[in-house]
Amino acid sequence: KQWYQRRVAITAGGRGNRGRGGAGDSKEWYPCTKLGRLVKDGMIKKIEEIYLFSLPIKEAEIIDFFLGSKLKDEVLKIMPVQKQTRAGQRTRFKAFVAIGDYDGHIGLGVKCSKEVATAIRGAIILAKLSVIPVRRGYWGNKIGMPHTVPCKVTGKCGSVLVRLVPAPRGTGLVSAPVPKKLLNMAGFEDCYTCATGQTATLGNFAKATFAAIAATYAYLTPDMWSPTVFTNSPYQEYTDYLAKPFVKQPKKEVKY
C-alpha cells in the first residue's frame, strides 16, 4: 500500500490545471467531427448552442475552445484495482477527476490505466467530454443572482442516493466533502444535501451527486412553460459548408 501511495504523491505533484499548457497543447487542433469543424471555424459562438440541440461532443478540444481558461480540475481519488490472472495479480490505477468552471458547468471522468499519470490524463479528457450545463435557482424571492438548486433533485448510483435541497442565501454547502467539491465546482453557493447508502464508495457517491446536478435541467418547472421557438440545428444550417472537404491549412513559415 505504501509504495503506490508514494508513487501517487510523486506523479500527482502540482496537478492543478493538468491537461492544459503541457507539451501536447502546442500542437494545432485539427477537428475530426462536423461539430469540431463548426466550432473551430466560428460557426458556433457559444457552448449553449450545442446543449440546445443535444449534439454529442466527441472531442475534448471543443470544451477547451469555449471554457479552456476557466476550467479547473481536481483529482477526487486514485485507487488501485486488481485482476486475478494465472501469473498472479495485475494491478491498475483508477482515477476519479472532477472538472468545472465554478459558474454553471461541471464534468466527471473515470479512467483506469497501468500508470497513475495516464489514468489522470485520461480521466481529465473523459471529464471534459461529460461536461454538462447546471441550472441554478432561488430559495425564496428572486433577488440577486441564482445561488442554489432550483428544486429538490435526486441522483442515484449503486446503493448511493443523493438528494439536493434548496437552501436560503448564506447557508453554504451543507454536505460531505465529496459532494461539496462537485457542488462548489458547479457554481452552487448554498445547498442542503441528504445521502443514503454506502457513501464510503467514493466513485458511486461522486456519480450520484453528478447525476443529481444533471437533473436540475431535466426537471421542467412552470417558469419554463413558455412556447419554444424551434430553429434549424447547426448541422442543418451549415449543410453546404460541411459538404466541402476539410483541408488542413499548411503552417506559415516565419522568416527572421
Side-chain angles (χ1 to χ4, degrees):
K1 193 174 180 180
Q2 288 179 344
W3 68 266
Y4 90 77
Q5 285 178 341
R6 216 175 294 124
R7 188 174 177 184
V8 168
I10 293 166
T11 314
R15 59 173 171 254
N17 298 332
R18 180 179 286 276
R20 297 176 296 284
D25 284 358
S26 59
K27 296 177 186 175
E28 194 179 348
W29 170 41
Y30 293 111
C32 306
T33 59
K34 288 193 287 185
L35 182 62
R37 284 176 61 187
L38 293 176
V39 168
K40 189 177 181 185
D41 296 335
M43 307 290 182
I44 294 176
K45 307 291 183 189
K46 295 185 293 183
I47 195 169
E48 280 70 30
E49 292 177 42
I50 298 173
Y51 295 134
L52 180 65
F53 295 98
S54 301
L55 303 177
I57 298 172
K58 302 287 186 183
E59 296 177 87
E61 289 84 359
I62 293 172
I63 300 298
D64 284 330
F65 186 87
F66 290 114
L67 307 172
S69 58
K70 299 178 187 175
L71 282 178
K72 299 281 183 260
D73 54 65
E74 187 165 343
V75 179
L76 300 176
K77 189 178 184 181
I78 298 168
M79 57 183 286
V81 291
Q82 290 183 327
K83 177 185 177 181
Q84 189 69 38
T85 62
R86 282 183 295 178
Q89 294 96 12
R90 187 191 66 182
T91 304
R92 294 199 299 171
F93 296 95
K94 194 175 185 181
F96 296 89
V97 174
I99 196 166
D101 64 350
Y102 294 85
D103 191 26
H105 297 95
I106 189 164
L108 181 68
V110 184
K111 180 69 177 174
C112 199
S113 180
K114 290 178 186 176
E115 296 292 329
V116 175
T118 315
I120 292 172
R121 213 175 301 120
I124 288 171
I125 291 169
L126 291 174
K128 285 178 183 175
L129 294 176
S130 70
V131 165
I132 53 167
V134 178
R135 187 179 172 210
R136 289 168 289 179
Y138 298 91
W139 174 78
N141 290 337
K142 295 181 180 178
I143 301 170
M145 297 297 289
H147 61 100
T148 184
V149 286
C151 55
K152 294 175 186 175
V153 286
T154 309
K156 194 171 189 298
C157 181
S159 70
V160 183
L161 187 140
V162 174
R163 189 175 190 228
L164 307 181
V165 181
R169 201 181 291 275
T171 305
L173 299 173
V174 183
S175 166
V178 174
K180 185 177 273 191
K181 283 178 186 173
L182 291 169
L183 291 168
N184 192 26
M185 280 184 158
F188 293 111
E189 296 169 24
D190 313 289
C191 187
Y192 292 126
T193 62
C194 170
T196 59
Q198 192 68 26
T199 53
T201 311
L202 187 142
N204 286 355
F205 202 9
K207 286 178 183 177
T209 308
F210 183 70
I213 293 170
T216 54
Y217 260 119
Y219 196 83
L220 189 66
T221 50
D223 56 338
M224 297 173 74
W225 285 358
S226 55
T228 308
V229 179
F230 292 102
T231 56
N232 290 336
S233 78
Y235 293 156
Q236 209 169 351
E237 194 173 338
Y238 301 108
T239 305
D240 297 335
Y241 175 79
L242 292 170
K244 297 173 187 174
F246 176 68
V247 181
K248 286 185 179 181
Q249 297 294 330
K251 288 186 178 179
K252 295 179 181 178
E253 292 184 10
V254 181
K255 294 181 180 179
Y256 295 102

